Amino acid sequence: MALNPQSILLRRLSQAGLVDTGLAQRLIVEKSHQYQNVAELLIAEKLITAKSLAENVAAFTMHSLIDLDFYDLEFVPEQERNEKLIRKHQVLPLGKRGRTLFLGVVDPTDMQPVEDFEFSTGLHAELIVVEYDKLLKLVDRVFDSKNADSFAGSDWDLSALGVGDSDDLDEKPGSEAEDQPIITFINKMLHDAVRKGASDLHFEPYEKSYRIRFRIDGILHEVASPPVALAGRLSARLKVMSRLDIAEKRVPQDGRIKLKLSQKKSIDFRVSSLPTLWGEKIVMRILDSDSAMLGIDILGYEESQKQLYLSALEQPQGMILVTGPTGSGKTVSLYTGLNILNTEETNISTAEDPVEINLAGINQVQMNNKAGLTFPIALKAFLRQDPDVIMVGEIRDLETAEIAIKAAQTGHLVLSTLHTNSAPETLTRLLNMGVPAYNVASSVSLIIAQRLARRLCNHCKAPELLPEAELMRQGFTAEQLPTMKLFKPVGCEYCTGGYKGRVGIYEVMPISAVIAEKIMAGENSLEIAKQAQREGINNLRQSGLAKAAAGLTSLAEINRVTNA
């Protein structure tokens, strides 16, 4: 099902009036690098739902349609579980009878997967239409369960891996043949992390054990526990992939890996090694450029908050600050704003440490302190490069803050981040750095404080009933009580502990004339927060409770991320 503007699938959907042909063809041309096939693009861009696509395709091709929610994995024939072929074509063998292979497909008009499977298996393929999203979930379940069996710690054969009790075997990589199982295992871990939507991978050696954890939706989960005797080889392989110095084990190192998932899709990993008491701990951050392409509507802003952000982005000058702890989604918020500003008429330069995601059309500069390329040096150079928009990865010191503020006061739009707990505290942080109050009041136009909360799984969330007195104590208002309906996590095969994905929680505070006066008067963050409340600005807690009241997340999760 190639990304072809003239595909049979697209033509049939257009003839039925289900898809805007011109819009679909334009998206195919513009976004072919992001999607593997036409169905994925149509669904991801919300031109049609997976269910509607399957129902209509089955109707006009006269093929059977089944619901994979009720399909038993045991019916997937073992000998036909060709993972490479299945993931390449995004189809799945659903059963076999005699010389007939029942093949679950999204687009029966695309014959390439059929020909490949018939050639590979020697069987005749009979097509069954399935929903695209449910097909991908079932494929992941098939191979996740297979991988879990293959890589469980109890199944490791140390003799087959060429690992004995000798310590020196743990200190260096073996031959290519000896290390092939290690290479296979690490590649599988990386692919599993991407498939499960993890943000980080932790490879952790201890005295008598070795642990691998994925951070999924902000929470760490142990996924494997290979023998501790393999610690040296695992770290060596990861360092080779990251182009780090294998012999250097005394100091931290930083590197990068590019993992190719398909011909048009690759994922970057930022790698950090750290010497610990029992070996090198390696943490990998997944840098998915698709996350930077998110539209602002997907990030979870309330309509009024979104308009405040868009309005600030439209200004020719001023400073927009995004604040929150590590892992709160600041980078995605900034890149989303940069993507909105990224036009042919705008010169955008960024100073980042590190550059996490490459963005076409934007001049991104990687900081290099050893070579003397620091944030202040880069910012000074930017001002001689005729910039319209400047992004500073983080304001860490007074010199950086002063140059950024100067740029914001002289006709440039500046975006940056700080590590503070709320929007009002960001102003206090700048003042404590030594920035004069009049500079803060005149240059900062908008502050966004944010957190990421785990989103409840729509397949299994259950109603949660709490007394009104408890709801009021938690912070809900009397106006919210009659219409709100809280839910709690349950857990099912489609999620992790009752949660799937995350949603942003925001405090979006414009610097009004009154707040500017309070800054000039030297009032503290508590007084500024009170004024923001009087101006109708919801703080993080209030925004989080609104998300819980809307059924997007649980009250327990809001309490976790807002420290209530």
Side-chain angles (χ1 to χ4, degrees), residues 39 97 107 129 135 159 184 234 237 241 309 418 508 552:
R97 186 172 61 214
D107 180 13
V129 176
L135 171 67
S159 61
T184 301
L234 289 169
R237 174 59 188 167
M241 295 173 70
Y309 190 16
L418 279 91
V508 182
L552 296 175

Side-chain angles (χ1 to χ4, degrees), residues 323-325 328 420-422 449-453 503-506 540 561-562:
T323 181
S328 61
T420 59
N421 292 324
S422 68
Q450 65 180 76
R451 301 289 188 275
L452 289 177
V503 62
I505 298 171
Y506 303 93
L540 284 168
V561 300
T562 60

Side-chain angles (χ1 to χ4, degrees), residues 8-25 27 38-39 41-43 45-61 106:
I8 297 173
L9 172 66
L10 184 57
R11 188 163 65 249
R12 297 294 292 271
L13 293 172
S14 301
Q15 291 171 350
L18 297 168
V19 169
D20 183 325
T21 311
L23 176 58
Q25 291 182 342
L27 288 172
V38 172
L41 179 138
L42 294 175
I43 294 166
E45 296 295 327
K46 294 183 170 50
L47 299 185
I48 193 170
T49 65
K51 183 176 182 180
S52 176
L53 176 65
E55 290 174 347
N56 284 281
V57 167
F60 65 63
T61 61
V106 178

Side-chain angles (χ1 to χ4, degrees), residues 488-513:
K488 61 184 178 182
V490 176
C492 69
E493 60 188 346
Y494 296 101
C495 65
T496 304
Y499 297 98
K500 182 70 173 178
R502 290 192 284 181
V503 62
I505 298 171
Y506 303 93
E507 176 185 20
V508 182
M509 187 181 81
I511 306 302
S512 65

Side-chain angles (χ1 to χ4, degrees), residues 205-411:
Y206 298 97
E207 182 180 11
K208 297 181 179 179
S209 64
Y210 192 96
R211 178 172 67 177
I212 299 174
R213 294 188 289 175
F214 293 171
R215 187 177 294 280
I216 301 173
D217 297 334
I219 304 296
L220 283 168
H221 302 271
E222 183 171 340
V223 296
S225 182
V228 68
L230 298 176
R233 290 191 176 176
L234 289 169
S235 63
R237 174 59 188 167
L238 290 168
K239 290 169 75 174
V240 166
M241 295 173 70
S242 313
R243 298 184 179 181
L244 302 180
D245 184 353
I246 300 177
E248 180 55 76
K249 301 180 181 180
R250 299 165 299 174
V251 297
Q253 298 185 67
D254 295 305
R256 206 174 180 104
I257 295 174
K258 182 178 286 290
L259 179 68
K260 195 171 182 64
L261 301 179
S262 66
Q263 289 184 339
K264 295 183 178 180
K265 173 76 171 176
S266 61
I267 296 285
D268 286 340
F269 294 79
R270 190 179 77 212
V271 183
S272 170
S273 73
L274 178 70
T276 69
L277 188 60
W278 304 109
E280 290 179 282
K281 171 172 178 173
I282 294 181
V283 176
M284 309 175 72
R285 166 65 58 88
I286 298 178
L287 307 174
D288 186 357
S289 59
D290 286 352
S291 65
M293 305 301 174
L294 294 175
I296 193 170
D297 293 323
I298 300 175
L299 299 186
Y301 286 95
E302 303 295 336
E303 185 61 31
S304 60
Q305 295 175 332
K306 182 181 78 171
Q307 292 306 320
L308 287 171
Y309 190 16
L310 292 175
S311 176
L313 290 171
E314 291 172 358
Q315 302 305 311
Q317 65 184 48
M319 181 181 288
I320 300 172
L321 296 173
V322 182
T323 181
T326 300
S328 61
K330 299 188 298 296
T331 299
V332 172
S333 284
L334 278 182
Y335 281 151
T336 299
L338 290 177
N339 271 326
I340 293 171
L341 296 168
N342 189 12
T343 64
E344 183 182 348
E345 298 82 16
T346 307
N347 179 22
I348 304 175
S349 295
T350 73
E352 304 175 62
D353 187 19
V355 174
E356 295 197 2
I357 298 171
N358 298 325
L359 297 176
I362 294 177
N363 308 293
Q364 296 174 274
V365 178
Q366 168 70 54
M367 298 300 95
N368 187 340
N369 291 328
K370 290 183 179 178
L373 181 54
T374 61
F375 282 117
I377 296 296
L379 285 175
K380 289 176 183 177
F382 288 171
L383 294 176
R384 297 190 290 271
Q385 291 269 315
D386 185 31
D388 298 301
V389 178
I390 294 172
M391 193 271 272
V392 186
E394 182 183 348
I395 294 178
R396 300 174 178 173
D397 52 51
L398 176 58
E399 186 178 8
T400 304
E402 287 180 335
I403 300 171
I405 284 173
K406 178 183 177 182
Q409 292 173 331
T410 55

